[in-house]
Amino acid sequence: MKKNLFIAAGALALLTSCGGSKTGITKGSLSEFDSLSYAMGVNIGGSLTQQLRDIPMDVDVVVDAVEKGALKMSNKELKESSDYIMNFMSKVRPERKKAIMEQRRVEDSTRLANGDTTKMIRPEADPAMFENDAERKEFCEKLGFNMGGGLKQSNLEIQTVWVGEAIRNMWNREEVKMTPQEAGEYLRYYFMEKLPKLNAEKSEKWLEKKASQSKTVKTESGLIYKVVEEGDLSQTVKSDRDTMKLHFVGRSMNGKVFGASHFADLDEHAQEMVKMYNPDHFDEDEPIAVTLKDVFPGWAEAMKFVGKGGKIHMWIPSSLAFGEYGNRREVGPNEAIEVEAELVDLVPYDYENSPECLNAKASKEWLAEIEKQDGVQKTESGLLYKVERKGSKVCATKDTDCVRVHYEGTLRSGKVFDSSYERKEPITFGLNQVIKGWTEGMKLVGKGGKITLWIPSELAYGERGAGADIGPNEALKFTVELLDVNPGK
């Protein structure tokens, strides 16, 4: 992680923080040094000294407000602080700064005009940045509240007394217990090594405890679950493409909600965001529609144990959830999670009428007709080809050979989806860099020759298709001129 990531978690959060929910933040005590808290404070203080030196702040007011913002303030109050700071920094500060510079210019011009060439030494932070002391205090409080909100959102075990101590040391340019470089190194160590290890250990113990509870089941993968209601077991998820309509709430080990379908289950900050982006329908509480591919592996595995209308409670190891990187601030690296889910409805995937099934049938019929044409040959893999112009004896023989070609690719319908002729420029590539049908087909013609390939989907882009034109299980046609061959390059 780069140092600016840690600043974003602390100091730069002062511009974006809107609060959080459960955290491990305490006031703490100066009797025992806390490395994490002090390092966070050094990063925050360093950002303040670099970015806000032109603002005559009262650092004691800022520090007191940081503690209050982290420990006592509501999300609504923190949101108000964030809005205030964003407005001041984006609008008020630039205007005041411009006015200060203009005033200094006028003063310097007047002094020089009167013959005074003395160089003026002015304070780095001009008192004119604020209209009065009351505004100055308000800014410092709002700034501190907002930074405290950023700490609150971090979901880390932080002592505000040590954060404040470091901010004061940095702002006042006092001797520090950690230099900015040392703080950055410690934070890199903490977030990349210590925290993942701590979370893994806590997760293991947490999961063991959950597994010992009544009626819980542990699978071979490590998933732990308890069926709350079986539901209709004649209607269960059978395909990873079945659509599940779910109500759910997901929490970290400490109970912090990272996602929910019911508005009331979201924390205050998430509710604010939902209201902002969906003001007319924020509390309608519609179930989410997902497939097994849309959820992480542990969740997908658990949903196979209940039927339509069923409810399940699951505890999922990190390896089957958000893994070693976690999920932003809600779930840490290597942290296990819990999810409660209700399978409200189930819509089985209609494979017979799906694009992959229809394309597979149509492609098979199309290739069968092509195979009947004069001059068309078929390889063991199923590739169909016709040599239009044989070319020389120089040909590609290995997958590592490099070829230069002109080509046109079309669908069954005849629609051209790709063409080097249209681009008016041949293309060069290694045979190990393209679809299997090309790799095989380009060995069937010599340099200067021309060949037509009809490629079944399993030798092309398979069930996934490619881009907007090539659907799943789509057979393709290519007309190719082999312009040059470079063996083994």
Short mmCIF file of all heavy atoms in Angstrom, two decimals, residues 3-34:
data_model
loop_
_atom_site.label_atom_id
_atom_site.label_comp_id
_atom_site.label_asym_id
_atom_site.label_seq_id
_atom_site.Cartn_x
_atom_site.Cartn_y
_atom_site.Cartn_z
N LYS A 3 1.64 5.25 0.83
CA LYS A 3 1.36 6.08 1.99
C LYS A 3 0.08 6.89 1.82
O LYS A 3 -0.66 7.09 2.78
CB LYS A 3 2.54 7.02 2.22
CG LYS A 3 2.42 7.87 3.47
CD LYS A 3 3.66 8.68 3.67
CE LYS A 3 3.55 9.57 4.89
NZ LYS A 3 4.72 10.40 5.07
N ASN A 4 -0.22 7.34 0.61
CA ASN A 4 -1.40 8.18 0.44
C ASN A 4 -2.69 7.42 0.73
O ASN A 4 -3.71 8.01 1.00
CB ASN A 4 -1.45 8.77 -0.96
CG ASN A 4 -1.56 7.72 -2.04
OD1 ASN A 4 -1.30 6.56 -1.80
ND2 ASN A 4 -1.95 8.15 -3.22
N LEU A 5 -2.64 6.09 0.70
CA LEU A 5 -3.83 5.33 1.08
C LEU A 5 -4.13 5.52 2.55
O LEU A 5 -5.28 5.58 2.96
CB LEU A 5 -3.62 3.85 0.77
CG LEU A 5 -3.51 3.49 -0.71
CD1 LEU A 5 -3.35 1.98 -0.86
CD2 LEU A 5 -4.75 3.93 -1.46
N PHE A 6 -3.09 5.57 3.36
CA PHE A 6 -3.29 5.75 4.79
C PHE A 6 -3.75 7.18 5.09
O PHE A 6 -4.56 7.41 5.97
CB PHE A 6 -2.00 5.44 5.57
CG PHE A 6 -1.50 4.07 5.31
CD1 PHE A 6 -0.25 3.86 4.76
CD2 PHE A 6 -2.30 2.98 5.58
CE1 PHE A 6 0.19 2.57 4.51
CE2 PHE A 6 -1.86 1.69 5.33
CZ PHE A 6 -0.60 1.49 4.79
N ILE A 7 -3.23 8.12 4.34
CA ILE A 7 -3.69 9.49 4.50
C ILE A 7 -5.17 9.57 4.16
O ILE A 7 -5.95 10.23 4.84
CB ILE A 7 -2.88 10.45 3.60
CG1 ILE A 7 -1.40 10.45 4.05
CG2 ILE A 7 -3.44 11.84 3.65
CD1 ILE A 7 -0.51 11.26 3.17
N ALA A 8 -5.56 8.86 3.10
CA ALA A 8 -6.98 8.86 2.73
C ALA A 8 -7.84 8.29 3.84
O ALA A 8 -8.97 8.72 4.05
CB ALA A 8 -7.18 8.06 1.46
N ALA A 9 -7.29 7.35 4.58
CA ALA A 9 -8.06 6.76 5.67
C ALA A 9 -8.12 7.68 6.87
O ALA A 9 -8.95 7.52 7.75
CB ALA A 9 -7.42 5.43 6.09
N GLY A 10 -7.23 8.66 6.92
CA GLY A 10 -7.21 9.55 8.07
C GLY A 10 -7.43 10.99 7.68
O GLY A 10 -8.55 11.48 7.68
N ALA A 11 -6.35 11.66 7.26
CA ALA A 11 -6.44 13.10 7.04
C ALA A 11 -7.36 13.48 5.89
O ALA A 11 -8.19 14.36 6.04
CB ALA A 11 -5.04 13.65 6.78
N LEU A 12 -7.22 12.83 4.76
CA LEU A 12 -8.05 13.23 3.64
C LEU A 12 -9.49 12.82 3.81
O LEU A 12 -10.37 13.26 3.08
CB LEU A 12 -7.48 12.67 2.33
CG LEU A 12 -6.10 13.24 1.96
CD1 LEU A 12 -5.74 12.82 0.56
CD2 LEU A 12 -6.08 14.76 2.07
N ALA A 13 -9.75 11.95 4.80
CA ALA A 13 -11.14 11.62 5.12
C ALA A 13 -11.87 12.85 5.63
O ALA A 13 -13.09 12.89 5.64
CB ALA A 13 -11.20 10.51 6.16
N LEU A 14 -11.14 13.87 6.03
CA LEU A 14 -11.76 15.09 6.52
C LEU A 14 -12.60 15.75 5.41
O LEU A 14 -13.50 16.53 5.71
CB LEU A 14 -10.72 16.09 7.01
CG LEU A 14 -9.64 16.60 6.03
CD1 LEU A 14 -10.13 17.83 5.30
CD2 LEU A 14 -8.36 16.88 6.77
N LEU A 15 -12.34 15.40 4.18
CA LEU A 15 -13.11 15.99 3.09
C LEU A 15 -14.28 15.11 2.66
O LEU A 15 -15.12 15.52 1.91
CB LEU A 15 -12.21 16.23 1.87
CG LEU A 15 -11.06 17.19 2.11
CD1 LEU A 15 -10.28 17.35 0.83
CD2 LEU A 15 -11.56 18.53 2.60
N THR A 16 -14.32 13.86 3.12
CA THR A 16 -15.33 12.94 2.63
C THR A 16 -16.10 12.21 3.72
O THR A 16 -17.09 11.56 3.45
CB THR A 16 -14.68 11.88 1.74
OG1 THR A 16 -13.68 11.19 2.50
CG2 THR A 16 -14.04 12.51 0.53
N SER A 17 -15.64 12.28 4.95
CA SER A 17 -16.24 11.47 6.00
C SER A 17 -17.67 11.88 6.29
O SER A 17 -18.02 13.03 6.32
CB SER A 17 -15.41 11.62 7.28
OG SER A 17 -16.13 11.18 8.39
N CYS A 18 -18.51 10.85 6.51
CA CYS A 18 -19.90 11.10 6.90
C CYS A 18 -20.29 10.24 8.09
O CYS A 18 -21.46 10.12 8.41
CB CYS A 18 -20.84 10.77 5.74
SG CYS A 18 -20.55 11.79 4.29
N GLY A 19 -19.36 9.58 8.73
CA GLY A 19 -19.67 8.80 9.92
C GLY A 19 -19.64 7.32 9.66
O GLY A 19 -19.38 6.85 8.58
N GLY A 20 -19.93 6.51 10.69
CA GLY A 20 -19.92 5.07 10.60
C GLY A 20 -20.78 4.48 11.68
O GLY A 20 -21.68 5.11 12.18
N SER A 21 -20.50 3.23 12.08
CA SER A 21 -21.27 2.64 13.16
C SER A 21 -20.33 2.10 14.22
O SER A 21 -19.59 2.85 14.82
CB SER A 21 -22.19 1.56 12.61
OG SER A 21 -21.45 0.56 11.95
N LYS A 22 -20.32 0.79 14.43
CA LYS A 22 -19.50 0.24 15.49
C LYS A 22 -18.03 0.30 15.14
O LYS A 22 -17.62 -0.04 14.05
CB LYS A 22 -19.91 -1.21 15.75
CG LYS A 22 -21.34 -1.35 16.25
CD LYS A 22 -21.65 -2.79 16.55
CE LYS A 22 -23.07 -2.94 17.07
NZ LYS A 22 -23.42 -4.34 17.37
N THR A 23 -17.20 0.73 16.10
CA THR A 23 -15.77 0.78 15.88
C THR A 23 -15.07 0.34 17.15
O THR A 23 -15.68 0.11 18.19
CB THR A 23 -15.29 2.21 15.55
OG1 THR A 23 -15.42 3.02 16.73
CG2 THR A 23 -16.12 2.81 14.44
N GLY A 24 -13.74 0.24 17.08
CA GLY A 24 -12.96 -0.10 18.26
C GLY A 24 -12.29 1.13 18.83
O GLY A 24 -11.23 1.02 19.45
N ILE A 25 -12.84 2.32 18.62
CA ILE A 25 -12.20 3.56 19.05
C ILE A 25 -12.48 3.84 20.52
O ILE A 25 -13.62 3.74 20.98
CB ILE A 25 -12.67 4.74 18.18
CG1 ILE A 25 -12.16 4.57 16.75
CG2 ILE A 25 -12.19 6.06 18.73
CD1 ILE A 25 -12.51 5.69 15.83
N THR A 26 -11.43 4.20 21.26
CA THR A 26 -11.55 4.61 22.65
C THR A 26 -10.71 5.87 22.85
O THR A 26 -9.89 6.22 21.99
CB THR A 26 -11.04 3.52 23.61
OG1 THR A 26 -9.65 3.24 23.32
CG2 THR A 26 -11.85 2.23 23.45
N LYS A 27 -10.91 6.52 23.98
CA LYS A 27 -10.07 7.68 24.30
C LYS A 27 -8.65 7.24 24.58
O LYS A 27 -7.68 7.86 24.14
CB LYS A 27 -10.64 8.45 25.49
CG LYS A 27 -9.81 9.68 25.83
CD LYS A 27 -10.46 10.50 26.95
CE LYS A 27 -9.61 11.74 27.26
NZ LYS A 27 -10.23 12.57 28.31
N GLY A 28 -8.48 6.16 25.37
CA GLY A 28 -7.16 5.65 25.67
C GLY A 28 -6.43 6.46 26.73
O GLY A 28 -7.01 7.32 27.40
N SER A 29 -5.16 6.18 26.86
CA SER A 29 -4.34 6.84 27.89
C SER A 29 -2.93 7.06 27.38
O SER A 29 -2.38 6.22 26.64
CB SER A 29 -4.30 5.98 29.15
OG SER A 29 -3.35 6.49 30.07
N LEU A 30 -2.34 8.19 27.79
CA LEU A 30 -0.96 8.49 27.40
C LEU A 30 0.06 7.71 28.21
O LEU A 30 1.27 7.82 27.96
CB LEU A 30 -0.69 9.99 27.55
CG LEU A 30 -1.40 10.92 26.55
CD1 LEU A 30 -1.12 12.37 26.88
CD2 LEU A 30 -0.98 10.61 25.12
N SER A 31 -0.41 6.89 29.14
CA SER A 31 0.51 6.12 29.98
C SER A 31 1.18 4.98 29.21
O SER A 31 2.23 4.51 29.61
CB SER A 31 -0.23 5.55 31.19
OG SER A 31 -1.26 4.67 30.78
N GLU A 32 0.55 4.54 28.12
CA GLU A 32 1.13 3.46 27.34
C GLU A 32 1.04 3.80 25.86
O GLU A 32 -0.04 4.02 25.32
CB GLU A 32 0.39 2.14 27.62
CG GLU A 32 1.03 0.95 26.93
CD GLU A 32 0.37 -0.37 27.32
OE1 GLU A 32 -0.45 -0.37 28.27
OE2 GLU A 32 0.66 -1.39 26.67
N PHE A 33 2.19 3.83 25.21
CA PHE A 33 2.27 4.27 23.81
C PHE A 33 1.49 3.32 22.90
O PHE A 33 1.61 2.09 23.01
CB PHE A 33 3.72 4.33 23.36
CG PHE A 33 3.91 4.84 21.96
CD1 PHE A 33 3.58 6.14 21.62
CD2 PHE A 33 4.41 4.00 20.97
CE1 PHE A 33 3.75 6.61 20.33
CE2 PHE A 33 4.59 4.46 19.68
CZ PHE A 33 4.26 5.78 19.36
N ASP A 34 0.70 3.89 21.98
CA ASP A 34 -0.03 3.10 21.00
C ASP A 34 0.48 3.45 19.61
O ASP A 34 0.21 4.55 19.09
CB ASP A 34 -1.53 3.37 21.11
CG ASP A 34 -2.32 2.48 20.18
OD1 ASP A 34 -2.47 1.28 20.48
OD2 ASP A 34 -2.80 2.98 19.14
#
